[in-house]
Amino acid sequence: MMILGTSFGMAFYLLQVVSGESGYAQNGDFDDAELDDYPFSCYSQLEVDGSQHLLTCTFDDPDVNSTNLEFEICGALLDVKCLTFNKLQEMYFIKTKKFLLIGNSEICVKLKEKKITCKEMNIVKIVKPEAPFDIRVIYREGANDFLVTFNTSHLQKKYVKELLHEVAYRQEKHENDWMHLNLSSTKLALLQRKLQPDAIYEIKVRSIPKPDYFEGFWSEWSPSFHFRTPEITGRMDPVLLIISVLSFFSLALVVILACALWKKRIKPIVWPNLPDHKKTLEQLCKKPKKNLNVSFNPESFLDCQIHKVDGIQARDEAEGFLQDTSLLQPEESEKQRLGGCVQGPTWPSEHVVITPKTIRGDSPLECLAGNVTLCEALVLPSSRSPDFRDGGKNGSHVYQGLLLVPGTTNGPRPTPLPFQSGILTLNPAAQRQPILTSLGSSQEEAYVTMSSFYQNQ
Amino acid sequence: VLPDALLFVLSVFFRKIFILQLVGLVLTYNFTDCDFEKIRKKYQEVIYQALDKYMNGTKSTGFNNYIYCEDPPDCLTKINRITFYPNHGCTSLAQEVFAVRTNAALTLHCPGYSGMQMNNTQAKKKRKKREATTNKCWEQVSPLIELWRRFSRISKQ
C-alpha cells in the first residue's frame, strides 16, 4: 500500500513538474512566458498639459493579446515608488507630474501582479517632442526668396527647450522627390532660383530634441503647406528701366559737355598754365576799377622831377605845375592807372594831400640829383581838401603820392617814386582833379608832419 | 555616594557626546570625487526649474543672506547642508522637488554618497508644516540658489 501511494505521489509530482516547465497553467494563461515575447517601446512627452508629463508605451507586435496585460513604472518618481499605466485600446499611457527626470526608471509588463518583462529606461532619453504647427510660406519679391516660418509649443516650455527641426519640401508632381533641410531656428529662407518657376510645392516640418541632456525621437510631421512659385517674365521692373535710361542719357550728356568744354574751361583748371607775371598783374589791376588803366609800359611812366626849392620858387613852380596838369588831365587813363597801382588798404576813402616840407624853407625832400631815394613827405588831413581844390590851382599837383614838380636846374631829373611812408587812396571824385598842394599859399598854413598827424589822429 | 553617582552620569553623558562627535566627523561626506560636470548639467536642466518654481518668482537677491563657496566641493558641501539640514523654522525642505532632485543627482554622481533616506510618513507630516513656514524657507533657499549658480560657474572651468 505504502509503495503504491508513494508511486502515485511521485508520478503526480513528476506530472506537476513537467507541466510547469511547459508553461501551461491551470487558467490557460502563459505563466512563465519568455521575456522576449512581449517587446515594447515607450516615449515621453514633457509638459504636454501644463506641468503634467505623458509617458506612452506600446507593444512592438500589434498582434499581441494584451487583454490582461498591464504596464507599471517604478523608480525615479517623486513621492511614490511605482505608478500604473492606463490603457487606451492598444496603447498604455500615464499622465503625471511625478517624474523625477533624474536617473533610470524600470518599466515592466505585468500579468496579474506578476512581472513578465521589464526594461530600464530614462525618461529624459526617450523624449518625443510635439509636432510643429502653423507653417507658412511668404514670397519676398525684393529678396527673390520664400520665407518659411513655423511654430512649436516647446518655445514656452521649461524643459526640452532646444530642438532641431527638419524641413521637407517637394514639387507636387514629383511624389517621392523630397528635399530635406535641417535647422535649429523656426525660420528658413528658400531661394527662388532653387525652385522651379510656376510650380506648386508642398512643405512640412518635424522636430527632435537637441542631443544634450534630453534626447529622444522625431516628432510627428506638421500639417503640410502648399505654395506656388511665380513665373519668370522677361519684363524688367519699370522703375529700374527708367533709372537706367536716365543714367545713360546723363552719362552721354556729361561726355559731350566734357569734350566741348575741355579746351576752354576744364583743361585750364585741371592743368593750368604758368601765368605770365605781367599779364597777371595787369588783370589784377584791371579788375577793381573799370576806368583805371595800368600799364607797365615804361613810356607811360612820367618823369618825376624833384627839385630843391624855396618858398617863392615853390609857389611859382606850383603854378607852373598846375598848368602842366591841366594838360595832363585829359589823360585820365594814365592817372587812374597810377592811382590804381598805388591804391592800398590803409586809407581808402580819404583823399590826402602831400605837401613838401620845403615850403618852410626846409628841404626834407632829399631827392638830390643822382640820388633816387624815397622822398619824405608831409601828409595833410582830408578836411582840407576843399581848400586844396581851391589852392590846388596855385599849388603843385600830387599824383597819388607822386610829387610832380617842374624840373630842377641841377642834375638829372630823378624818376618819381611812390611814397612808402603811407599808401594813399583817393576819393574817386577827387581823382578827376589834381591833388594840389598849398605850397606857400599861406605861410600861416601849418605844416603837418607825420608825427603831428598821428597826434591829431 | 552622590558624587560617585554624579560622576558616573557625567562620564556616560560626555562619552556619548564624544562618540556622536566622532560619528559625525566620520560620516561627513567629502564631495571632492564627484562628477561636477554631470551634476552641473542636471542643475541646469532640471534642478534650477524646480528651485525657480519653489521660489514662485521671488528673486533670490531680495534676501540679504548670501553665502560664499570657494570651490565645487565646498559648494556641494554647503548645498547639501542647507538642503537636507535646515534650521531656524524651516525643516521641510528635504521633501521638495528640488531637494529630491538634488539628492538624486548627488547619489548618482558622488561615489559613496548615501543620500537622504526619509520615509513617507515623515514626508506627510513635513508637508503640513511646510505651508506654515514658506517665508522662512524662502530665506533658507535664496542662498541655496546663489550657491548653485556659483557652483555652475566655477565647475565649468
Side-chain angles (χ1 to χ4, degrees):
Chain A
M1 217 34 193
M2 277 181 69
I3 295 165
L4 194 62
T6 309
S7 310
F8 272 120
M10 282 179 74
F12 186 75
Y13 174 72
L14 282 169
L15 193 69
Q16 188 77 17
V17 167
V18 168
S19 65
E21 280 177 1
S22 69
Y24 183 77
Q26 281 182 346
N27 56 5
D29 292 336
F30 288 93
D31 209 5
D32 292 325
E34 293 288 337
L35 294 177
D36 293 340
D37 288 345
Y38 296 97
F40 65 92
S41 53
C42 302
Y43 64 85
S44 62
Q45 288 179 305
L46 305 183
E47 298 173 282
V48 283
D49 185 9
S51 55
Q52 288 205 317
H53 314 303
L54 182 67
L55 178 63
T56 308
C57 294
T58 51
F59 289 106
D60 294 345
D61 184 2
D63 297 328
V64 164
N65 184 5
S66 60
T67 311
N68 293 319
L69 295 174
E70 287 178 347
F71 273 86
E72 186 183 63
I73 178 171
C74 296
L77 296 172
L78 289 166
D79 300 330
V80 293
K81 226 177 166 187
C82 296
L83 287 169
T84 307
F85 283 65
N86 302 312
K87 189 174 176 182
L88 182 67
Q89 294 174 351
E90 297 304 316
M91 203 168 62
Y92 296 84
F93 70 93
I94 185 167
K95 204 177 199 182
T96 181
K97 294 181 191 179
K98 295 184 189 295
F99 291 137
L100 188 60
L101 303 181
I102 294 178
N104 291 338
S105 303
E106 193 180 49
I107 300 174
C108 297
V109 177
K110 284 172 76 173
L111 178 63
K112 289 186 180 177
E113 307 301 322
K114 201 169 180 185
K115 291 181 182 178
I116 298 173
T117 178
C118 294
K119 263 189 190 177
E120 198 168 273
M121 289 184 184
N122 193 334
I123 299 293
V124 302
K125 301 295 179 188
I126 54 169
V127 176
K128 182 178 177 181
E130 292 176 59
F133 58 95
D134 199 20
I135 183 167
R136 291 181 190 216
V137 180
I138 297 165
Y139 175 58
R140 298 192 297 190
E141 204 170 335
N144 287 332
D145 64 9
F146 295 88
L147 184 66
V148 180
T149 56
F150 55 90
N151 205 347
T152 172
S153 58
H154 287 263
L155 294 172
Q156 283 84 37
K157 293 186 194 288
K158 286 189 292 185
Y159 310 105
V160 198
K161 278 185 285 197
E162 293 189 7
L163 301 174
L164 290 175
H165 309 285
E166 184 188 16
V167 172
Y169 63 95
R170 68 167 180 185
Q171 208 171 340
E172 266 194 343
K173 56 185 181 185
H174 302 149
E175 283 209 356
N176 292 322
D177 192 15
W178 286 97
M179 303 290 289
H180 297 268
L181 291 169
N182 291 325
L183 62 154
S184 55
S185 67
T186 57
K187 278 184 191 175
L188 172 69
L190 281 176
L191 296 175
Q192 186 180 1
R193 57 183 166 86
K194 291 195 174 177
L195 303 174
Q196 294 295 320
D198 195 23
I200 296 174
Y201 278 84
E202 180 188 355
I203 190 167
K204 58 186 181 181
V205 64
R206 62 178 181 174
S207 309
I208 190 170
K210 193 173 179 183
D212 193 7
Y213 183 72
F214 295 99
E215 293 174 14
F217 314 108
W218 284 106
S219 69
E220 299 299 325
W221 285 106
S222 69
S224 291
F225 184 85
H226 299 266
F227 64 98
R228 192 184 193 95
T229 52
E231 294 177 26
I232 294 178
T233 57
R235 271 192 314 158
M236 212 180 184
D237 187 16
V239 173
L240 198 64
L241 187 66
I242 291 166
I243 289 169
S244 52
V245 166
L246 282 173
S247 308
F248 173 75
F249 279 115
S250 306
L251 192 65
L253 191 65
V254 164
V255 168
I256 292 165
L257 283 172
C259 292
L261 298 174
W262 172 257
K263 211 171 183 180
K264 206 173 177 183
R265 297 278 183 102
I266 299 169
K267 190 171 176 290
I269 295 166
V270 171
W271 191 260
N273 294 325
L274 287 172
D276 184 350
H277 61 280
K278 283 189 184 175
K279 284 184 187 170
T280 307
L281 206 53
E282 280 180 13
Q283 281 178 357
L284 283 172
C285 294
K286 196 192 293 183
K287 208 173 178 181
K289 294 182 195 282
K290 286 182 186 176
N291 299 329
L292 201 62
N293 290 324
V294 173
S295 172
F296 290 95
N297 187 354
E299 293 175 6
S300 67
F301 292 137
L302 300 174
D303 290 333
C304 174
Q305 297 178 2
I306 300 166
H307 305 281
K308 187 177 176 182
V309 296
D310 54 16
I312 298 168
Q313 188 183 356
R315 193 187 302 150
D316 293 338
E317 285 175 354
E319 286 174 358
F321 186 73
L322 257 178
Q323 289 168 7
D324 289 340
T325 53
S326 64
L327 293 172
L328 289 169
Q329 202 172 353
E331 300 176 0
E332 281 187 5
S333 58
E334 296 289 336
K335 284 188 279 185
Q336 285 167 1
R337 259 183 268 144
L338 284 170
C341 284
V342 188
Q343 188 173 8
T346 340
W347 297 324
S349 61
E350 290 178 355
H351 43 264
V352 297
V353 177
I354 303 168
T355 174
K357 217 172 169 181
T358 51
I359 292 173
R360 288 200 173 174
D362 295 329
S363 54
L365 296 173
E366 297 182 313
C367 301
L368 300 173
N371 186 11
V372 181
T373 58
L374 287 174
C375 302
E376 289 183 2
L378 301 173
V379 176
L380 295 175
S382 60
S383 59
R384 302 194 62 185
S385 59
D387 295 332
F388 291 160
R389 280 187 201 154
D390 295 335
K393 292 175 190 173
N394 300 322
S396 61
H397 299 287
V398 177
Y399 275 100
Q400 288 95 6
L402 295 178
L403 179 60
L404 304 175
V405 177
T408 180
T409 51
N410 298 323
R413 293 176 180 183
T415 45
L417 299 171
F419 293 135
Q420 290 186 359
S421 58
I423 298 174
L424 311 170
T425 58
L426 298 177
N427 188 330
Q431 282 178 356
R432 293 193 187 143
Q433 297 174 9
I435 296 169
L436 305 173
T437 60
S438 56
L439 289 170
S441 61
S442 156
Q443 286 187 351
E444 291 80 26
E445 286 176 0
Y447 288 99
V448 178
T449 61
M450 289 301 293
S451 57
S452 62
F453 177 74
Y454 285 130
Q455 283 170 9
N456 288 338
Q457 280 191 333
Chain B
V1 174
L2 192 61
D4 290 338
L6 191 64
L7 272 172
F8 177 74
V9 166
L10 282 173
S11 66
V12 169
F13 177 69
F14 282 122
R15 198 184 306 152
K16 280 189 178 171
I17 290 172
F18 174 74
I19 291 167
L20 278 170
Q21 293 274 355
L22 207 63
V23 166
L25 204 67
V26 168
L27 293 182
T28 303
Y29 185 78
N30 184 2
F31 290 93
T32 313
D33 296 329
C34 296
D35 189 337
F36 301 123
E37 177 55 31
K38 287 189 177 164
I39 295 173
R40 184 187 68 81
K41 192 51 105 175
K42 283 174 172 59
Y43 161 72
Q44 278 185 337
E45 300 294 338
V46 293
I47 298 174
Y48 165 75
Q49 285 78 358
L51 272 169
D52 190 49
K53 192 178 177 185
Y54 180 81
M55 291 298 285
N56 200 20
T58 309
K59 282 190 180 169
S60 63
T61 50
F63 299 96
N64 194 19
N65 47 354
Y66 179 72
I67 298 175
Y68 173 78
C69 60
E70 209 170 295
D71 52 23
D74 184 38
C75 291
L76 288 179
T77 305
K78 287 173 179 159
I79 287 167
N80 182 64
R81 179 170 54 81
I82 294 172
T83 306
F84 303 113
Y85 303 96
N87 49 17
H88 301 300
C90 180
T91 54
S92 62
L93 280 183
Q95 279 302 311
E96 296 298 328
V97 176
F98 71 85
V100 178
R101 286 178 177 170
T102 302
N103 186 36
L106 294 176
T107 307
L108 274 174
H109 301 299
C110 293
Y113 181 81
S114 59
M116 293 302 299
Q117 307 296 331
M118 295 186 84
N119 57 30
N120 284 340
T121 315
Q122 283 176 316
K124 279 178 191 168
K125 282 182 186 172
K126 289 191 182 296
R127 261 198 295 277
K128 283 184 184 174
K129 250 186 155 178
R130 184 194 317 154
E131 289 159 10
T133 59
T134 306
N135 209 30
K136 283 193 190 293
C137 291
W138 283 349
E139 265 184 63
Q140 185 91 7
V141 172
S142 73
L144 195 62
I145 293 174
E146 296 304 320
L147 284 169
W148 271 115
R149 279 184 187 152
R150 170 123 178 103
F151 170 78
S152 180
R153 278 197 306 272
I154 60 179
S155 62
K156 262 187 193 175
Q157 297 166 5

